[in-house]
Amino acid sequence: MKKEKRQLGYQFQLYSEEKKSPFEKLFDIFKELITHTSGDFDEALDWLEQLDREYQLTDENYTLDDFVEELKEKGYIREELKPDGSYDKKITAKTERAIRKNALNQIFGQIRKKGSGNHKTKSSGVGDEHTGDLREFRFGDALENINITESLKNAQINHGFGEFTLHENDLIVEDTHHKAQMSTVLMIDISHSMILYGEDRITPAKKVAMALAELITTRYAKDTLDILVFGNDAWPIRLKDLPYLEVGPYHTNTVAGLQLAMDMLRRKRNTNKQIFMITDGKPSCVRLPDGRYYKNSNGLDGFIVDKCYQMAAQARKLHIPITTFMIAKDPYLQTFVDSFTESNKGKAFYTGLDGLGEMIFHDYENNRKKRIR
């Protein structure tokens, strides 16, 4: 009888692009535009019309009117009656979720949803990820973690091959990682410097924010997520507000943002807490004890910077790591973020405006630096 020969190695074939419907192609572009326009449907459609004229995105078989009609049919937009009797088109919660998912795929494209969405710790205990180690059964261990083969072998060793008996001290379980919940506060800088000198820093900031929010709410479903924005002051916002964020005529009160973030985390019962901060890295404002604001937009003010370092150190004492997403490449601002993150022993991601597909990741806790693509 001849054995079948198996072919070993890789098999290559020509790449065939995934076929998309006209709606899917336009919807991919629309999600980008609606992010840039902070949820303004009419402005996004104007941009789409300009792109259509330049690149012939549609034809007589499928027009932009068809696309808008399909958006309505699929529940991505709704019409609201205005006081003058006309209708205004608004994006729906379904579109907001699609935008967040799109941002997640762009920024964390290699990350996939899996498991129950909890965070591994260095400790073993009750969990659902096996370590590969075996140990004696302890009260509270899940029955499904009992290793039947090892337990039966133990019973035979302990009691012989006569009448079979199995006692509690014969049981062997497969050890698992203990998994913990995490409470996260996401801070987003909406100061004027996020659009200064014609640089659009708020759009990549929103993309990072939406990607992180989508990652946490889908992959880590048991976690809590609070979101705040900071300008002259700091205030909380809802998850659904992320696509609509706009920059205001504000300075950057990083200290106020950190104070509010830590206040939010103090109310959480979870022991694991963290702060994600998205900023261009330039603090320019603090509120003084008498209620007045001290502002200085020229460079990095030593008084303001020191207050930021103090907050970073305070968060470290409370065991709250801060991960900073730096949406700028100015060397002097990166130097500040370096010192700030080192004070907290946290982590920092550095990215420019050309694209968020590549980031420089610096883990100050483990003193490691690497490039992420």
Side-chain angles (χ1 to χ4, degrees), residues 113 135 199 262 310 335 343 345:
K113 181 181 176 184
R135 60 171 174 80
E199 286 190 342
M262 284 192 273
Q310 290 170 23
T335 299
S343 298
K345 293 301 178 188

Side-chain angles (χ1 to χ4, degrees), residues 185-192 226-239 241-242 244-261 263-264 267 285 287 293:
V185 173
L186 177 58
M187 295 173 50
I188 307 163
D189 184 351
I190 57 167
S191 63
H192 184 62
D226 291 282
I227 308 171
L228 67 87
V229 293
F230 60 104
N232 291 348
D233 291 294
W235 59 95
I237 65 168
R238 298 168 298 177
L239 175 63
D241 297 329
L242 282 177
Y244 309 100
L245 285 184
E246 293 183 284
V247 169
Y250 309 121
H251 286 71
T252 311
N253 193 341
T254 307
V255 171
L258 291 169
Q259 285 174 335
L260 178 57
D263 285 344
M264 288 175 162
R267 295 194 288 268
C285 173
R287 192 170 187 177
Y293 292 95

Side-chain angles (χ1 to χ4, degrees), residues 76-322:
Y76 287 111
I77 59 172
R78 68 181 189 277
E79 290 186 331
E80 290 184 355
L81 183 63
K82 296 197 293 186
D84 62 2
S86 62
Y87 285 91
D88 196 12
K89 292 182 177 66
K90 301 284 187 182
I91 63 174
T92 63
K94 185 177 181 180
T95 309
E96 293 162 3
R97 287 194 299 272
I99 296 169
R100 293 198 301 268
K101 187 175 180 181
N102 185 59
L104 174 65
N105 290 335
Q106 285 183 346
I107 296 170
F108 300 112
Q110 300 305 312
I111 299 175
R112 294 290 179 265
K113 181 181 176 184
K114 61 181 179 179
S116 63
N118 289 333
H119 304 268
K120 289 187 290 185
T121 70
K122 296 178 181 178
S123 307
S124 62
V126 180
D128 57 11
E129 182 159 334
H130 294 282
T131 66
D133 297 326
L134 300 174
R135 60 171 174 80
E136 294 177 356
F137 176 86
R138 293 196 291 263
F139 180 77
D141 286 331
L143 295 179
E144 60 265 25
N145 289 337
I146 293 176
N147 186 304
I148 300 298
T149 303
E150 292 297 321
S151 298
L152 292 176
K153 184 171 76 174
N154 234 16
Q156 290 177 341
I157 292 171
N158 293 336
H159 311 297
F161 290 92
E163 286 190 22
F164 176 76
T165 57
L166 180 69
H167 300 284
E168 183 179 327
N169 56 4
D170 298 325
L171 298 177
I172 297 295
V173 297
E174 296 181 45
D175 210 359
T176 56
H177 278 299
H178 174 66
K179 290 191 169 184
Q181 287 182 300
M182 181 74 73
S183 291
T184 301
V185 173
L186 177 58
M187 295 173 50
I188 307 163
D189 184 351
I190 57 167
S191 63
H192 184 62
S193 62
M194 296 292 278
I195 55 166
L196 206 56
Y197 311 122
E199 286 190 342
D200 178 13
R201 295 175 177 177
I202 190 61
T203 298
K206 281 194 294 187
K207 283 189 177 183
V208 172
M210 289 189 290
L212 288 170
E214 186 69 6
L215 178 66
I216 291 168
T217 55
T218 55
R219 184 173 176 183
Y220 302 110
K222 295 179 182 178
D223 288 7
T224 66
L225 174 66
D226 291 282
I227 308 171
L228 67 87
V229 293
F230 60 104
N232 291 348
D233 291 294
W235 59 95
I237 65 168
R238 298 168 298 177
L239 175 63
K240 69 184 297 295
D241 297 329
L242 282 177
Y244 309 100
L245 285 184
E246 293 183 284
V247 169
Y250 309 121
H251 286 71
T252 311
N253 193 341
T254 307
V255 171
L258 291 169
Q259 285 174 335
L260 178 57
M262 284 192 273
D263 285 344
M264 288 175 162
L265 290 173
R266 283 191 191 99
R267 295 194 288 268
K268 303 298 180 184
R269 299 175 65 181
N270 301 359
T271 55
N272 299 282
K273 301 170 183 179
Q274 65 181 350
I275 295 171
F276 287 156
M277 178 169 67
I278 303 170
T279 180
D280 63 359
K282 186 180 180 182
S284 58
C285 173
V286 291
R287 192 170 187 177
L288 302 174
D290 62 5
R292 291 183 298 117
Y293 292 95
Y294 174 77
K295 302 173 183 177
N296 186 355
S297 299
N298 299 318
L300 288 169
D301 185 286
F303 175 73
I304 297 173
V305 166
D306 285 343
K307 293 287 186 185
C308 292
Y309 294 155
Q310 290 170 23
M311 293 300 297
Q314 183 180 337
R316 182 187 175 189
K317 288 179 182 177
L318 295 171
H319 305 290
I320 301 174
I322 301 170

Side-chain angles (χ1 to χ4, degrees), residues 11-65:
Q11 291 185 347
F12 295 92
Q13 61 184 30
L14 288 174
Y15 170 75
S16 56
E17 186 179 0
E18 180 187 358
K19 289 185 179 179
K20 291 184 176 180
S21 67
F23 174 82
E24 290 171 329
K25 291 177 181 177
L26 288 174
F27 191 50
D28 285 343
I29 301 170
F30 174 76
K31 285 183 287 188
E32 284 294 312
L33 296 177
I34 205 72
T35 302
H36 281 268
T37 64
S38 299
D40 189 321
F41 175 82
D42 291 332
E43 187 181 356
L45 194 63
D46 285 344
W47 286 16
L48 191 57
E49 287 173 349
Q50 292 178 38
L51 291 172
D52 185 28
R53 285 195 296 270
E54 187 171 351
Y55 298 104
Q56 288 78 51
L57 303 175
T58 64
D59 54 31
E60 65 276 5
N61 296 317
Y62 192 86
T63 66
L64 279 182
D65 288 338

